[in-house]
């Protein structure tokens, strides 16, 4: 499946476009009867040098900048263990002073994955979007 990713800039009619195709994905029905999706295996060819951080913990209200993460795109695999936090996630494309940032986090109370683009620049779709997500055990 190919999907369309919206960005909704203010002058989209004037500039003549809005959005782009996002990464292709495979769709299948899981053992529980729900629709599942994941990246197509061909994307493996685009991967560069892998970086990883293990047993990383951050105190409530604090952030930790991951060194040597550069570029306009990256692939994230995040494993969340038991937590009492109200949110667990990452800030991406954030400016040094934090005036611009995009948040992607898990809300355990709502059992939802949240994408918050309300501070993602001066133009485009500034919204908070959620999707139901129940984490698997372990």
């Amino acid at each position: 499946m190919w999907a369309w990713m919206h960005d909704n800039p203010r002058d989209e009619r004037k500039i003549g476009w809005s959005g782009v195709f996002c990464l292709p994905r495979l769709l299948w029905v899981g053992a529980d009867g729900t629709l599942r999706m994941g990246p197509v295996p061909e994307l493996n060819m685009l991967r560069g040098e892998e970086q990883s951080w293990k047993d990383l913990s951050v105190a409530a209200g604090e952030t930790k900048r991951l060194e040597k993460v550069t570029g306009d795109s990256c692939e994230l695999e995040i494993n969340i263990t038991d937590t009492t936090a109200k949110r667990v996630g990452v800030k991406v494309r954030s400016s040094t002073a934090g005036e611009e940032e995009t948040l992607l986090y898990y809300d355990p109370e709502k059992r939802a994955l949240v994408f918050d683009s309300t501070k993602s620049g001066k133009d485009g779709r500034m919204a908070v979007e959620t999707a139901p997500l129940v984490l698997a055990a372990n």
Side-chain angles (χ1 to χ4, degrees):
M1 179 184 100
W2 285 95
W4 188 255
M5 186 168 53
H6 296 276
D7 62 353
N8 302 105
R10 266 180 293 216
D11 298 329
E12 64 184 62
R13 288 183 189 263
K14 183 178 176 183
I15 61 175
W17 64 275
S18 176
V20 295
F21 278 120
C22 60
L23 293 175
R25 52 190 104 167
L26 292 174
L27 302 176
W28 71 94
V29 176
D32 62 355
T34 62
L35 180 65
R36 304 295 175 122
M37 74 174 92
V40 296
E42 291 83 356
L43 291 173
N44 291 336
M45 294 182 294
L46 301 176
R47 290 190 174 120
E49 184 180 336
E50 180 180 311
Q51 297 181 54
S52 64
W53 294 266
K54 297 188 186 298
D55 301 321
L56 183 67
S57 62
V58 180
E62 293 184 5
T63 60
K64 174 161 182 52
R65 182 174 288 284
L66 300 178
E67 301 300 324
K68 299 181 184 174
V69 177
T70 60
D72 290 333
S73 64
C74 68
E75 178 181 18
L76 301 172
E77 180 179 321
I78 300 171
N79 296 296
I80 300 170
T81 57
D82 290 336
T83 181
T84 57
K86 292 186 180 189
R87 294 181 185 176
V88 172
V90 295
K91 293 179 182 182
V92 296
R93 304 291 293 167
S94 56
S95 60
T96 307
E99 62 274 0
E100 288 188 25
E101 62 188 16
T102 301
L103 306 177
L104 181 61
Y105 61 89
Y106 180 67
D107 183 327
E109 186 177 292
K110 294 179 181 173
R111 299 178 111 185
L113 183 62
V114 181
F115 174 79
D116 181 344
S117 62
T118 56
K119 290 176 61 181
S120 297
K122 297 176 180 146
D123 209 7
R125 189 172 189 190
M126 296 180 191
V128 177
E129 300 179 53
T130 63
L133 177 65
V134 177
L135 296 180
N138 301 318

